[in-house]
Amino acid sequence: MHGNTVYVARAAKLCSSEVNMGTAKPSEGVSGVALRRDERGLALAGDGMELRGDFSRMLPRLKPGRLQKELLVRAARTKGVAAPAAADCTAGLGEDSLLLAAAGFEVTLFERDETIAALLADALERAAADPQLASIVSRMHLVPGDSIEGLSAIDFTPDVVYLDPMFPARTKSAAVKKKFQLLHHLEQPCEEEEALVNAALAIHPSKVIIKRPAKGPQLAGIKPAYSICGKAVRYDVLVPSPA
């Protein structure tokens, strides 16, 4: 697990402490939303909405024929590596990491917001009890904390570093999926673009993959070696110089 057992336990402890409070105030500065646990697990509720991690709804995308067509999986492919490793520096609710883990990657997930990390830890725990997901999530290792600091502390070199900084606010509210509006209460678009990219490049992975809006600007103005594009998003791929 690349030494991450202690971090997973820390996330589980955070989740448990919030449950014991009944309703818990999320990250500092956030109002009108709270964490609550029910029979379906931990959820963030507020503004008439509810958000919880749920990997089971991703199962159709994990079928072999469809999985290999996923743009992220195509961008992350590594030739000649039997057991590839990836670091997801902006894990959120872990859905992209799930795709990578299903494709065979051992994935370290960094999430700096404690509330989101608690939701993710709960989703991983529930998925571990699901026979359809257990073997996949066993390759996903949560590290609550800032990835810029965390990347320099890991004791292995990932083949792929994945960055999905939150997209800038859109002018039309309908363009933001309802379930992610609560996340926007917690995390704002990335303001440390250059530092994030530099931290990823500094550990010399085989590639750095950056998720962007299909027609959005390059992150930190860095030109990728190539891009894999879809209708809504594109994946810019940086290829660092060898260490």
Side-chain angles (χ1 to χ4, degrees):
M1 292 180 61
H2 306 305
N4 292 334
T5 305
V6 63
Y7 297 107
V8 176
R10 184 173 139 203
K13 182 179 179 181
L14 170 65
C15 187
S16 297
S17 65
E18 289 165 335
V19 171
N20 291 338
M21 293 170 63
T23 58
K25 184 179 179 181
S27 306
E28 185 177 354
V30 177
S31 60
V33 294
L35 283 168
R36 298 187 177 92
R37 178 182 284 282
D38 58 26
E39 67 280 0
R40 295 179 294 153
L42 194 66
L44 183 66
D47 293 345
M49 296 177 287
E50 184 179 85
L51 176 69
R52 74 180 76 236
D54 180 12
F55 291 136
S56 64
R57 69 178 195 83
M58 294 279 289
L59 284 170
R61 296 175 64 183
L62 304 183
K63 295 180 180 179
R66 183 169 175 182
L67 181 65
Q68 297 308 315
K69 295 179 182 178
E70 291 282 346
L71 297 182
L72 174 57
V73 173
R74 288 170 53 194
R77 284 174 184 156
T78 53
K79 295 181 180 179
V81 181
D88 183 347
C89 294
T90 46
L93 292 178
E95 293 183 351
D96 285 339
S97 283
L98 184 74
L99 294 175
L100 292 175
F105 282 82
E106 199 82 12
V107 187
T108 298
L109 299 81
F110 292 98
E111 177 48 57
R112 68 181 180 179
D113 187 277
E114 288 189 347
T115 302
I116 298 174
L119 291 170
L120 177 52
D122 180 70
L124 288 167
E125 182 179 356
R126 284 184 282 111
D130 184 334
Q132 298 181 88
L133 292 165
S135 63
I136 297 173
V137 299
S138 71
R139 294 193 289 273
M140 298 170 65
H141 316 297
L142 175 59
V143 181
D146 185 80
S147 59
I148 294 176
E149 298 177 0
L151 282 175
S152 63
I154 58 177
D155 57 2
F156 67 101
T157 300
D159 301 286
V160 170
V161 174
Y162 177 56
L163 311 178
D164 178 13
M166 187 176 291
F167 295 168
R170 298 175 172 109
T171 55
K172 296 180 180 179
S173 59
V176 181
K177 290 183 179 179
K178 185 174 181 180
K179 74 167 191 168
F180 288 116
Q181 290 179 21
L182 288 176
L183 286 182
H184 283 256
H185 280 286
L186 304 175
E187 291 191 324
Q188 299 301 313
C190 180
E191 296 180 351
E192 302 170 295
E193 294 181 353
E194 188 171 351
L196 184 61
V197 175
N198 287 340
L201 294 172
I203 61 172
H204 301 286
S206 297
K207 61 178 71 174
V208 176
I209 302 172
I210 305 172
K211 185 177 184 179
R212 304 300 295 151
K215 297 182 180 179
Q218 296 159 352
L219 191 68
I222 298 177
K223 185 178 180 179
Y226 60 93
S227 299
I228 295 180
C229 302
K231 293 182 179 179
V233 300
R234 75 170 191 271
Y235 294 90
D236 291 342
V237 181
L238 312 183
V239 180
S241 301

